């Protein structure tokens, strides 16, 4: 089941990225300028953002299996329409629909978190992120190679067939789940903002990912400028070669997930933030040029990619543990903040580059990581000093307070995910609610 869901993530994410590789082919095939053809990529990204906000919250309202199958079927039909588009307006419209509906990866995460025990969520989320990373990396190669061989329409048509086949497989493979919410659609749309106001652990997880992803985006936005400059004099293909280091994260994220399951998300976040700081220092050597500079850029981006993706595993485990009945809405809030951070990082990176060059970009990454680290250390200090921490330390082996009426809530608060996982393991055979159980509908 995990493999099928990981493939679903790969296909859904790949549908966003393969159009980036065939822009020139689209321009030549439809006899438009390259700038006009770039509107296809913009339309896909815009549709995806809209899908995150408008459709992902429905994952708490609709059965996961039918929702995923419908989304993938609509994506497949939109890809077919794009592959048969006679002109740019039709292609842009179809691309918008592709982006809007190919949000399956954001539905799969909450689904998988509800199907496994709490002490395996990290490993499963890591595997799903590994699938997403593979889809992102392979999609560009798939699109470019197939497009050069058979024309720009071929990637759309092949992707459509793969997506429709996957929809058929999921219709039989995904188990039946019960929706966790009965709220109306308008209430679901407003819920992510309310959760951001009321859930401190959601806010800090969003802050961690937004700052780290901002630094990540700044580096990759400016890396092409550095490699094309006088220090290297290389073309865009060099960025693609360095980007292949991202394959390593496909191995690292499942490992990070297992570490989260064993030690909790906070220690993994701490290591990842320190990793981003170290990567910023390594990347500064890239200003030297030559073999030494290229080696430092490769190692620095590898460490940065691994730290960012591993930190996302830790953040998602923490976020999904907050409310099992609102995981899709929590994911909407989290991923929206992450993408906003990435957009801001690209914007900041270009402006810092124009003023201070590559050194300035590396300093920007370090500052952003330091902000995340400072917020994290504050959260750890606050937790150690909190009354809830002292009550949890004095609780008995079942999580009950001496003299309490059997309530676990006081000793297993939402801000402390590790004691909650220990409680789940010790009482799996009893009556405690596990991660795979469906809570009472709200």
């Amino acid at each position: 089941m995990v493999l099928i869901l990981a493939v679903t993530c790969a296909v859904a994410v790949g549908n966003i990225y393969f159009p980036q590789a065939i822009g020139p082919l689209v321009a030549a095939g439809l006899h438009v300028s390259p700038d006009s053809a770039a509107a296809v990529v913009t339309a896909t990204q815009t549709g995806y953002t809209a899908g995150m906000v408008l459709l992902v919250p429905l994952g708490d309202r609709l059965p996961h299996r039918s929702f995923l199958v419908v989304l993938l079927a609509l994506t497949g039909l939109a890809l077919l329409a794009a592959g048969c588009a006679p002109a740019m307006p039709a292609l842009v419209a179809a691309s918008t629909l592709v982006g809007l509906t190919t949000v399956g990866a954001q539905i799969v995460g909450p689904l998988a978190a509800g199907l496994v025990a709490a002490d395996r969520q990290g490993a499963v989320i890591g595997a799903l992120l590994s699938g997403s990373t593979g889809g992102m990396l392979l999609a560009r190669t798939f699109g470019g190679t197939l497009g050069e061989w058979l024309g720009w329409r071929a990637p759309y048509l092949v992707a459509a067939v793969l997506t429709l086949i996957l929809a058929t497989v999921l219709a039989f493979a995904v188990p039946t789940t019960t929706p966790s919410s009965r709220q109306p659609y308008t209430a679901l749309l407003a819920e992510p903002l309310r959760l951001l106001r009321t859930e401190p652990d959601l806010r800090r997880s969003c802050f961690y990912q937004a700052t780290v992803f901002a630094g990540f985006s700044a580096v990759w936005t400016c890396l092409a400028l550095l490699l094309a400059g006088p220090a290297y004099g290389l073309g865009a293909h060099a960025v693609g070669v360095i980007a292949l280091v991202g394959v390593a994260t496909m191995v690292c994220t499942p490992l990070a997930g297992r570490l989260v399951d064993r030690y909790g998300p906070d220690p993994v976040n701490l290591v990842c933030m320190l990793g981003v700081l170290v990567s910023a220092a390594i990347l500064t050597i890239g200003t030297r040029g030559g073999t030494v500079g290229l080696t430092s850029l490769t190692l620095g981006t590898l460490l940065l990619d691994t730290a960012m993706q591993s930190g996302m595993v830790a953040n998602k485990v923490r976020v999904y543990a907050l409310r099992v009945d609102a995981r899709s809405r929590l994911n909407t809030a989290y991923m929206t903040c992450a993408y906003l951070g990435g957009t801001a990082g690209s914007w900041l990176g270009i402006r810092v580059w124009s003023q201070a060059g590559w050194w300035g970009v590396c300093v920007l990454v370090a500052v952003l990581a330091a902000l995340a680290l400072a917020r994290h250390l504050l959260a750890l200090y606050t937790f150690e000093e909190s009354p809830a921490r002292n009550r949890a330390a004095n609780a008995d082996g079942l999580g009950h307070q001496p003299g309490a009426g059997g309530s676990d809530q006081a000793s297993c608060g939402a801000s402390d995910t590790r004691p909650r996982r220990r409680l789940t393991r010790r009482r799996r055979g009893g009556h405690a609610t596990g991660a795979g159980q469906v809570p009472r509908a709200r």
Side-chain angles (χ1 to χ4, degrees):
M1 175 55 64
V2 174
L3 177 61
I4 293 175
L5 295 180
V7 171
T8 303
C9 291
V11 171
V13 172
N15 288 335
I16 306 170
Y17 286 98
F18 81 78
Q20 297 177 357
I22 59 173
L25 300 176
V26 171
L30 294 180
H31 308 291
V32 297
S33 67
D35 289 343
S36 298
V40 173
V41 176
T42 302
T44 306
Q45 297 284 358
T46 301
Y48 187 73
T49 303
M52 283 283 300
V53 175
L54 299 176
L55 297 182
V56 173
L58 286 171
D60 293 327
R61 183 68 176 82
L62 302 174
H64 289 114
R65 181 172 63 188
S66 58
F67 191 30
L68 272 174
V69 170
V70 169
L71 285 176
L72 287 170
L74 290 175
T75 302
L77 294 175
L79 287 166
L80 282 175
C84 299
M88 273 300 296
L91 179 57
V92 169
S95 298
T96 303
L97 185 58
V98 169
L100 180 69
T101 56
T102 191
V103 292
Q106 307 307 327
I107 305 300
V108 165
L111 165 64
L115 293 177
V116 300
D119 57 356
R120 289 196 60 238
Q121 285 185 8
V124 171
I125 292 172
L128 298 182
L129 281 177
S130 179
S132 297
T133 302
M136 179 179 64
L137 294 174
L138 295 176
R140 296 187 179 100
T141 302
F142 156 79
T145 302
L146 197 60
E148 289 285 354
W149 184 30
L150 297 174
W152 71 267
R153 298 181 188 274
Y156 283 102
L157 298 177
V158 172
V161 172
L162 290 176
T163 303
L164 291 173
I165 291 175
L166 184 60
T168 304
V169 171
L170 291 180
F172 296 96
V174 175
T176 303
T177 58
T178 303
S180 58
S181 174
R182 295 180 179 176
Q183 289 182 294
Y185 179 61
T186 53
L188 290 174
L189 291 182
E191 188 75 359
L193 289 176
R194 192 192 69 79
L195 290 169
L196 279 170
R197 291 196 304 268
T198 58
E199 296 288 352
D201 276 356
L202 174 61
R203 289 197 301 272
R204 70 181 178 105
S205 298
C206 290
F207 183 75
Y208 298 162
Q209 194 62 35
T211 50
V212 172
F213 193 45
F216 174 89
S217 299
V219 165
W220 283 103
T221 300
C222 299
L223 184 61
L225 301 176
L226 174 66
L227 293 176
Y232 294 96
L234 300 175
H237 69 280
V239 179
V241 172
I242 293 178
L244 291 177
V245 302
V247 173
T249 63
M250 297 177 63
V251 178
C252 294
T253 49
L255 174 61
R258 289 192 289 271
L259 292 174
V260 172
D261 289 334
R262 183 172 182 179
Y263 300 106
D266 284 342
V268 175
N269 272 135
L270 179 61
V271 173
C272 291
M273 292 168 190
L274 293 174
V276 175
L277 284 171
V278 173
S279 73
I282 295 174
L283 288 169
T284 58
I285 306 174
T287 56
R288 296 185 180 182
T291 303
V292 173
L294 277 176
T295 301
S296 71
L297 291 177
T298 302
L299 293 177
T301 52
L302 172 60
L303 181 56
L304 178 62
D305 282 19
T306 301
M308 190 273 291
Q309 295 281 10
S310 299
M312 179 175 284
V313 175
N315 289 329
K316 284 204 168 188
V317 170
R318 182 188 299 109
V319 168
Y320 289 159
L322 295 176
R323 280 186 48 189
V324 297
D325 64 321
R327 282 177 172 144
S328 291
R329 286 162 284 174
L330 288 165
N331 193 44
T332 296
Y334 173 77
M335 292 303 299
T336 300
C337 290
Y339 274 98
L340 289 175
T343 302
S346 298
W347 184 86
L348 281 173
I350 289 295
R351 276 142 190 83
V352 170
W353 168 269
S354 64
Q355 298 296 321
W358 185 248
W359 272 94
V361 174
C362 295
V363 170
L364 173 63
V365 174
V367 169
L368 290 169
L371 289 174
L373 180 60
R375 176 65 183 88
H376 190 51
L377 293 176
L378 177 62
L380 294 180
Y381 175 79
T382 303
F383 168 69
E384 290 294 337
E385 297 296 322
S386 66
R389 167 69 170 173
N390 296 329
R391 290 196 300 269
N394 294 327
D396 63 20
L398 293 178
H400 297 140
Q401 295 296 325
S407 173
D408 293 328
Q409 186 174 4
S411 61
C412 296
S415 62
D416 186 6
T417 58
R418 286 173 291 178
R420 175 159 43 202
R421 283 196 297 275
R422 288 198 295 268
L423 177 63
T424 302
R425 289 197 294 269
R426 290 172 181 169
R427 301 184 63 189
R428 190 175 299 158
H431 60 275
T433 301
Q437 292 175 283
V438 178
R440 178 175 61 86
R442 293 175 61 86

